[in-house]
Amino acid sequence: MIPVVDGALATSSATARGAHIIDPRTGRGVEHPGSATVTGPDLVWADVWATATFIHPTALDDRAGWADYRFYAI
């Protein structure tokens, strides 16, 4: 469980809808198992980062401007 008192939480995966998330580097749908969850102060950006980190788990690495966002891999 990830408690969120103030802010947002978003999760991306291929579990429910299959390979609907397209990796822009390959043009193919991402089908790997698991999910990516991101918490942060804004739902739109949490969702953007959840999708990006599902495609590439290190997407939030070295992003000093996004320090308020946290990535959780499941």
Side-chain angles (χ1 to χ4, degrees):
M1 185 168 122
I2 301 171
V4 177
V5 176
D6 184 25
L9 178 142
T11 299
S12 287
S13 77
T15 303
R17 295 178 53 201
H20 70 287
I21 299 171
I22 306 301
D23 184 334
R25 300 168 299 176
T26 66
R28 296 188 193 121
V30 179
E31 296 186 68
H32 60 74
S35 63
T37 297
V38 172
T39 61
D42 182 81
L43 179 58
V44 170
W45 284 107
D47 187 48
V48 167
W49 285 117
T51 302
T53 55
F54 181 69
I55 294 168
H56 195 272
T58 61
L60 265 172
D61 290 359
D62 301 321
R63 303 278 192 234
W66 300 98
D68 291 338
Y69 291 84
R70 300 284 183 262
F71 165 59
Y72 303 89
I74 299 171

